[in-house]
């Protein structure tokens, strides 16, 4: 039996950016892209120097890279205060009075912060944190909702060299506690409560529960989003302090000093820790440092989102994920962009909310996730069609493979066949986008995540490390270090080495399976651990799921294997239907025929289970590990479920036996 991953689904459609789009794009042709890519690989130092000219260094770098497996250092010898690139440099240009953040709260309230205002808020908080005794190198936990203050908090930490660890506001008290304990955070920044689907998430209350079981937190700073009438909170004397009280009414002397002459830090100074779920066991504290991370976020934002004066750019991710770090905060602000930020749920008060936000503010670039796109498909086109989306000019996707069906829906119904789509592949560990099609430079193929970005030496290889042939499935690896790569896992160099560098000699293993087609386009077929083995064929989860989702009744699907005495592995698929579709036996028959046709009879599911919802991580990824357990009839879950969005979904799946 071959150990190669097969690929059955072929997608031949190509979508070319319009001439008009390419004419105005930063990179307007494939030839230009290819030349920049060549330079980035052959003369990396020149490439990065030219492309980071806008960034502010206090002392310029002496050496571009130093690489001793597994530790890489970039821009050695440089010193900088990263926030000068994101804030100060804009204060001496027209950007000073331009919106840095246009924020809409879930109830509909709107706030705009110009670059001047954002800078002022950042230095005030930064000064206040030093008053609390925070010094460079201290860890600060941030447990907040989607309010501008969350971005202000991150930047304030960076201003004084404190290392932030943002914990997504949807996490439980236990998850927060574990992350605080692992990072040893000294101060926690939180808020009284956050809006979510019309109700209040009591963040401060959960923070209290978490802090009660930690030893390192000395101060808790509370931002007032709700007000005491709506969300009374208990303030613990000596430990808790209101954000407003801490800042005082006027910028302090210290704030004025920090505004004028911020301290400079080494290029490799730790900027942030961000916990990402390992497939089992405790979360990994991915560590990013300063100059390399900033360079990666800056250069990719500039090229991938093709930012222009007048753009209003909206990344819908939560600030608690890496996408929020790189593409709401550091990347866009370092480019001087105006960023839309929305507090609440996409379906509050109704499933038309995103489209109303776009219409109301005139959003031009939308960057969202396949899981959201599939939810919109399920809710129906009318919600989208009701809004005026003529301001949009570019769309993006991130987080999971986007199935061609969802891709074409996004292109047609949201983009009105007018907006290019950038499908961006990357990871918390990579820090910035690694694969995509630059919007004016290359055609897209629905479902393919495109070509390598600058400096990214990425390949699909067999187990022994040789390159796969075109279209042959294998492991996705990166063969040389890149500036925004994670430097280690917090307090766990060994796990870092084992997780990413020990799998294959001298290369970074992404954990993903992929193939590269005859045009050099990459197709991610799913996590290697999830690859299915059906009747001797090895196939990625994305193939089966895409095939199912291309049936007109299906909104979303997840495929997993279950141990089978005869076949080794039986195929179980979980299917969510579009609204108005009935879950009948007849439909099961039709879906089976559909798989026969799209993939082959060997891939006929042994079991099709209809469900209202799939278990997902809080960032929207399907948790196949849990579905495997459900499929094999386990009554209880083994591993960690702290990243699961809704525990009820699991119970329901178990109860919904055929
Ligand atoms: C998956 C999110 C296919 C992939 C930025 C990766 C994708 C993991 C894509 C990282 C994409 C992300 N196409 N798969 N465009 N983007 N993934 O750390 O499996 O939350 O390894 O970073 O998501 O997820 P993370």
């Amino acid at each position: 039996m071959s150990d190669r991953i097969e690929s059955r689904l072929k997608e031949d459609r190509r979508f070319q950016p319009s001439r008009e789009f390419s004419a105005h794009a930063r990179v307007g042709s494939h030839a230009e892209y290819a030349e920049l890519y060549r330079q980035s690989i052959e003369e990396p130092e020149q490439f990065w120097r030219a492309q980071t000219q806008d960034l502010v260094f206090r002392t310029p770098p002496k050496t571009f890279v130093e690489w001793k497996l597994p530790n890489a250092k970039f821009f050695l010898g440089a010193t900088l205060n990263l926030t000068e690139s994101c804030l100060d440099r804009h204060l001496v240009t027209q950007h000073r009075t331009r919106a840095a953040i246009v924020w809409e709260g879930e109830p509909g309230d709107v706030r705009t912060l110009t670059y001047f205002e954002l800078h002022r808020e950042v230095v005030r908080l930064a000064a206040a944190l030093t008053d609390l005794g925070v010094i460079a190198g201290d860890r600060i936990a941030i447990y907040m909702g989607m309010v501008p203050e969350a971005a202000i908090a991150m930047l304030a930490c960076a201003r004084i060299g404190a290392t932030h660890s943002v914990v997504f506001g949807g996490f439980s008290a236990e998850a927060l506690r574990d992350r605080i304990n692992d990072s040893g955070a000294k101060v926690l920044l939180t808020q009284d409560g956050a809006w979510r689907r019309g109700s209040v998430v009591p963040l401060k209350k959960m923070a209290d529960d978490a802090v009660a079981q930690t030893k390192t937190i000395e101060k808790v700073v509370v931002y007032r989003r709700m007000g005491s009438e709506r969300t009374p909170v208990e303030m613990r004397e000596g430990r808790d302090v209101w954000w407003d009280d801490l800042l005082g009414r006027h910028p302090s002397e210290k704030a004025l000093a920090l505004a004028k002459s911020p301290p400079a830090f080494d290029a490799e100074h730790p900027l942030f820790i961000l916990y990402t779920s390992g497939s089992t066991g405790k979360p990994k504290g991915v560590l990013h440092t300063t100059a390399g991370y900033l360079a990666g976020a800056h250069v990719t934002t500039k090229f991938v989102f093709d930012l222009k004066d007048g753009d209003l750019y909206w990344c819908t991710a939560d600030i608690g994920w890496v996408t929020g770090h790189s593409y709401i905060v550091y990347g866009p602000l370092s480019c001087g962009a105006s960023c839309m930020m929305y507090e609440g749920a996409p379906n509050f008060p109704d499933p038309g909310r995103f489209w109303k936000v776009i219409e109301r503010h005139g959003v031009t670039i939308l960057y969202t996730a396949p899981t959201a796109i599939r939810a919109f498909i399920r809710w129906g086109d009318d919600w989208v069609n009701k809004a005026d989306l003529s301001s949009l000019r570019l769309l993006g996707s991130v987080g999971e493979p986007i199935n061609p069906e969802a891709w074409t829906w996004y292109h047609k119904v949201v983009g009105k066949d007018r907006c290019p789509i950038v499908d961006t592949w990357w990871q918390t560990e990579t820090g910035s986008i690694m694969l995509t099609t630059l919007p004016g430079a290359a055609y897209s193929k629905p479902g393919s995540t495109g070509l390598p970005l600058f400096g990214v030496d990425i390949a699909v290889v067999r187990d022994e490390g040789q390159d796969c042939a075109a279209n042959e499935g294998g492991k996705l690896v990166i063969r040389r270090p890149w500036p925004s790569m994670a430097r280690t896992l917090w307090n766990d160099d060994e796990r870092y080495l084992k997780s990413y560098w020990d799998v294959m000699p001298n290369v970074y293993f992404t954990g993903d399976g992929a193939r590269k087609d005859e045009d050099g386009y990459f197709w991610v077929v799913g996590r290697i651990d999830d690859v299915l083995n059906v009747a001797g064929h090895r196939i990625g989860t994305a193939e089966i799921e895409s095939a199912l989702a291309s049936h007109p009744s299906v909104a979303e699907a997840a495929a997993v294997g279950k141990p089978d005495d005869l076949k080794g592995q039986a195929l179980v698929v979980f299917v969510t239907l579009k609204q108005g579709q009935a879950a009948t036996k007849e439909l099961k028959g039709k879906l089976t025929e559909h798989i026969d046709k799209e993939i082959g009879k060997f891939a006929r599911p042994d079991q099709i289970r209809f469900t209202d919802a799939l278990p997902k991580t809080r960032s929207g990824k399907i948790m196949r590990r849990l579905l495997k357990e459900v499929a094999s009839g386990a009554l209880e879950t083994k591993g960690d479920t702290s990243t699961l969005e809704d525990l009820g979904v699991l119970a329901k799946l178990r109860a919904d036996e055929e």
Side-chain angles (χ1 to χ4, degrees):
M1 190 184 73
S2 146
D3 63 353
R4 302 192 181 161
I5 303 172
E6 290 180 32
S7 183
R8 294 282 172 144
L9 292 182
K10 290 282 175 278
E11 172 57 68
D12 298 321
R13 285 171 297 175
R14 291 172 182 197
F15 290 77
Q16 196 76 39
S18 69
R19 266 210 203 124
E20 162 92 13
F21 194 101
S22 295
H24 295 102
R26 198 174 283 273
V27 181
S29 70
H30 187 270
E32 266 176 75
Y33 153 77
E35 172 49 24
L36 276 166
Y37 182 74
R38 185 205 59 75
Q39 195 201 16
S40 74
I41 295 293
E42 290 172 13
E43 302 147 19
E45 208 163 330
Q46 285 90 318
F47 173 86
W48 287 99
R49 191 177 318 123
Q51 296 303 336
T52 53
Q53 255 173 10
D54 286 345
L55 302 179
V56 184
F57 285 100
R58 202 69 67 72
T59 335
K62 287 195 189 68
T63 314
F64 171 64
V65 61
E66 193 185 281
W67 169 233
K68 267 194 236 102
L69 195 109
N71 297 111
K73 291 182 177 161
F74 283 88
F75 304 107
L76 282 92
T79 61
L80 69 162
N81 187 298
L82 173 147
T83 63
E84 285 190 280
S85 292
C86 296
L87 301 170
D88 305 56
R89 80 181 185 93
H90 305 309
L91 301 188
V92 292
T93 69
Q94 289 177 349
H95 288 62
R96 184 172 183 276
T97 49
R98 173 187 284 187
I101 296 175
V102 179
W103 174 82
E104 184 172 313
E106 197 182 70
D109 40 341
V110 170
R111 260 171 79 199
T112 299
L113 283 121
T114 63
Y115 272 93
F116 168 78
E117 290 165 326
L118 183 62
H119 175 264
R120 187 180 54 196
E121 293 309 307
V122 167
V123 296
R124 290 180 71 193
L125 180 64
L129 288 175
T130 62
D131 284 340
L132 295 182
V134 175
I135 55 167
D138 283 346
R139 274 83 57 213
I140 307 293
I142 300 173
Y143 182 57
M144 300 182 75
M146 285 291 285
V147 289
E149 278 64 23
I152 291 169
M154 291 162 70
L155 290 160
C157 290
R159 190 79 173 179
I160 55 173
T163 303
H164 60 71
S165 161
V166 182
V167 179
F168 170 55
F171 272 130
S172 62
E174 290 76 23
L176 174 62
R177 170 199 66 200
D178 293 346
R179 286 156 178 76
I180 289 175
N181 284 336
D182 191 73
S183 64
K186 184 166 168 184
V187 172
L188 171 65
L189 303 174
T190 187
Q191 62 192 67
D192 50 359
W195 284 115
R196 191 71 192 173
R197 229 164 261 140
S199 46
V200 178
V201 185
L203 287 177
K204 170 67 164 69
K205 166 85 188 54
M206 301 207 289
D208 286 341
D209 294 346
V211 173
Q213 299 172 62
T214 61
K215 293 205 175 75
T216 51
I217 295 288
E218 293 168 13
K219 294 279 175 192
V220 178
V221 182
V222 189
Y223 171 68
R224 208 190 298 262
R225 163 67 180 133
M226 294 295 160
S228 45
E229 300 243 309
R230 203 178 279 129
T231 315
V233 299
E234 240 177 76
M235 295 294 278
R236 208 167 108 188
E237 186 85 42
R239 184 195 73 184
D240 298 352
V241 43
W242 289 106
W243 188 293
D244 284 348
D245 294 344
L246 184 68
L247 260 55
R249 293 203 26 213
H250 303 288
S252 61
E253 286 296 315
K254 225 187 218 173
L256 294 174
L258 263 177
K260 274 219 180 85
S261 42
F265 303 100
D266 186 84
E268 287 296 331
H269 187 74
L271 176 65
F272 67 84
I273 303 168
L274 184 58
Y275 288 88
T276 177
S277 43
S279 50
T280 48
K282 71 174 187 116
K284 305 171 183 165
V286 172
L287 178 74
H288 282 285
T289 57
T290 304
Y293 171 79
L294 175 65
H298 176 74
V299 171
T300 51
T301 304
K302 183 165 77 172
F303 283 111
V304 177
F305 299 109
D306 195 41
L307 289 168
K308 305 243 173 333
D309 282 345
D311 269 324
L312 180 60
Y313 156 92
W314 184 19
C315 166
T316 69
D318 192 278
I319 218 153
W321 310 124
V322 75
T323 308
H325 284 52
S326 301
Y327 298 109
I328 296 178
V329 182
Y330 294 114
L333 296 178
S334 73
C335 291
S338 295
C339 304
M340 183 73 221
M341 190 171 173
Y342 166 60
E343 180 182 36
N347 56 350
F348 187 84
D350 61 47
R353 185 59 182 270
F354 267 28
W355 320 114
K356 285 197 197 114
V357 169
I358 293 172
E359 175 182 279
R360 181 175 184 189
H361 302 279
V363 171
T364 59
I365 302 170
L366 175 68
Y367 187 32
T368 192
T371 182
I373 296 168
R374 290 191 292 259
F376 294 130
I377 296 178
R378 194 159 179 233
W379 292 329
D381 299 5
D382 283 356
W383 292 110
V384 191
N385 292 334
K386 271 196 251 179
D388 171 9
L389 302 182
S390 56
S391 57
L392 286 175
R393 66 177 196 89
L394 177 62
L395 305 173
S397 173
V398 59
E400 275 185 300
I402 179 167
N403 49 301
E405 204 61 28
W407 195 102
T408 39
W409 181 91
Y410 194 29
H411 193 259
K412 180 157 170 260
V413 180
V414 179
K416 316 290 180 206
D417 295 323
R418 191 170 39 79
C419 308
I421 297 181
V422 288
D423 177 9
T424 61
W425 178 91
W426 59 296
Q427 309 179 295
T428 304
E429 295 86 343
T430 69
S432 63
I433 299 169
M434 301 276 105
L435 289 169
T436 195
T437 42
L438 289 185
Y443 57 82
S444 321
K445 304 185 185 192
S448 163
T449 181
L451 303 165
L453 266 179
F454 307 126
V456 180
D457 181 6
I458 190 164
V460 180
V461 300
R462 298 189 184 143
D463 285 348
E464 315 75 47
Q466 324 95 302
D467 280 19
C468 287
N471 287 313
E472 179 189 332
K475 290 186 164 129
L476 186 65
V477 300
I478 307 180
R479 293 187 288 213
R480 66 162 89 181
W482 63 100
S484 66
M485 68 194 272
R487 298 302 194 254
T488 190
L489 297 177
W490 185 254
N491 275 339
D492 207 345
D493 291 340
E494 203 176 308
R495 189 171 179 202
Y496 173 70
L497 196 69
K498 250 175 84 187
S499 307
Y500 308 106
W501 296 99
D502 262 4
V503 186
M504 276 191 194
N506 297 320
V507 298
Y508 168 86
F509 176 46
T510 63
D512 284 0
R515 69 182 164 93
K516 186 163 106 171
D517 70 16
E518 57 286 354
D519 300 317
Y521 277 55
F522 285 79
W523 302 74
V524 173
V525 303
R527 302 291 295 169
I528 278 283
D529 294 345
D530 293 331
V531 166
L532 301 159
N533 190 337
V534 275
H537 298 267
R538 291 185 79 225
I539 231 177
T541 47
E543 294 251 325
I544 309 258
E545 292 162 5
S546 290
L548 282 164
S550 69
H551 187 278
S553 302
V554 174
E556 188 161 49
V560 298
K562 124 179 169 181
D564 184 277
D565 290 344
L566 265 182
K567 297 206 227 171
Q569 209 173 39
L571 175 61
V572 181
V573 298
F574 295 83
V575 174
T576 309
L577 297 176
K578 284 190 193 152
Q579 230 143 41
Q581 300 291 324
T584 59
K585 222 177 173 158
E586 202 192 340
L587 180 58
K588 283 191 185 175
K590 287 199 179 136
L591 292 180
T592 307
E593 281 168 29
H594 188 68
I595 291 278
D596 285 357
K597 185 161 81 45
E598 296 289 315
I599 297 189
K601 284 211 167 80
F602 75 89
R604 274 192 174 182
D606 296 275
Q607 212 183 32
I608 298 178
R609 291 171 70 161
F610 294 118
T611 170
D612 287 339
L614 294 167
K616 293 192 179 172
T617 64
R618 288 156 209 266
S619 64
K621 291 189 217 296
I622 297 168
M623 293 182 82
R624 293 185 188 75
R625 167 170 66 86
L626 299 181
L627 285 174
K628 264 188 229 170
E629 292 181 1
V630 172
S632 60
L635 291 175
E636 278 188 14
T637 301
K638 283 197 260 49
D640 172 36
T641 49
S642 70
T643 54
L644 178 64
E645 195 201 359
D646 179 1
L647 258 178
V649 171
L650 260 195
K652 192 146 185 310
L653 274 170
R654 288 207 175 87
D656 273 355
E657 272 293 351
E658 280 199 302

